[in-house]
Amino acid sequence: VAAGLAICVIGQGLRSTAMAQCGESFNHYIQRDKKENHRLITTGVYSILRHPSYVGFYYWAVATQMVLGNPLSGLLYSFAAYRFFARRIGYEEELLVGMFEEYEDYMNRTYIGIPFVSWSINRNKKKRL
């Protein structure tokens, strides 16, 4: 339970920090069009993780199940959250590559931070080619 609480706090802290550092460029909805004030944030937590808000949310969500002490629920929740973020991040990154010419370089020097999401995105790209 203590480990779950610690991960919850760390995950929420990462998510909140990411949202604050992103400022006006943060939105809960995936943006399909680049707005005038939309800029690519590559400093702070974004210098290491390209989707730190999602990473924080993922670990927070999984850790809540650790706090509840239900291993089956934790396993199922981990899988459901992974599937959600793998799809969302894959779709969002396709849009970001089109919005920011420097995004591919940014992708090469940062991590997603959610287990197997990069692998899933790369696998899906190869299927489409």
Side-chain angles (χ1 to χ4, degrees):
V1 173
L5 285 172
I7 295 169
C8 277
V9 170
I10 292 167
Q12 184 59 52
L14 178 59
R15 181 167 169 75
S16 297
T17 299
M19 292 166 69
Q21 288 182 351
C22 202
E24 289 183 341
S25 292
F26 184 86
N27 197 308
H28 289 283
Y29 300 103
I30 294 175
Q31 301 300 296
R32 292 185 181 99
D33 300 307
K34 185 177 177 184
K35 296 181 179 175
E36 189 175 307
N37 65 345
H38 198 173
R39 60 188 180 92
L40 181 62
I41 308 299
T42 60
T43 58
V45 294
Y46 288 89
S47 67
I48 301 165
L49 299 167
R50 46 183 194 273
H51 300 284
S53 177
Y54 295 160
V55 173
F57 193 106
Y58 173 82
Y59 285 105
W60 173 87
V62 172
T64 61
Q65 302 309 300
M66 293 171 65
V67 170
L68 294 174
N70 185 334
L72 179 59
S73 178
L75 184 64
L76 294 173
Y77 210 82
S78 296
F79 180 72
Y82 156 77
R83 295 269 301 172
F84 171 78
F85 285 115
R87 290 178 179 166
R88 184 176 178 102
I89 290 170
Y91 174 67
E92 186 170 352
E93 289 199 333
E94 286 180 16
L95 294 171
L96 289 167
V97 165
M99 287 183 203
F100 299 100
E101 62 184 53
E102 66 271 31
Y103 196 78
E104 287 193 45
D105 288 335
Y106 175 65
M107 289 171 62
N108 291 328
R109 66 178 190 270
T110 56
Y111 304 95
I112 291 178
I114 299 172
F116 307 109
V117 169
S118 291
W119 171 81
S120 177
I121 291 170
N122 290 332
R123 188 190 71 181
N124 288 336
K125 281 183 188 175
K126 288 177 184 174
K127 280 184 180 179
R128 287 189 296 243
L129 295 177

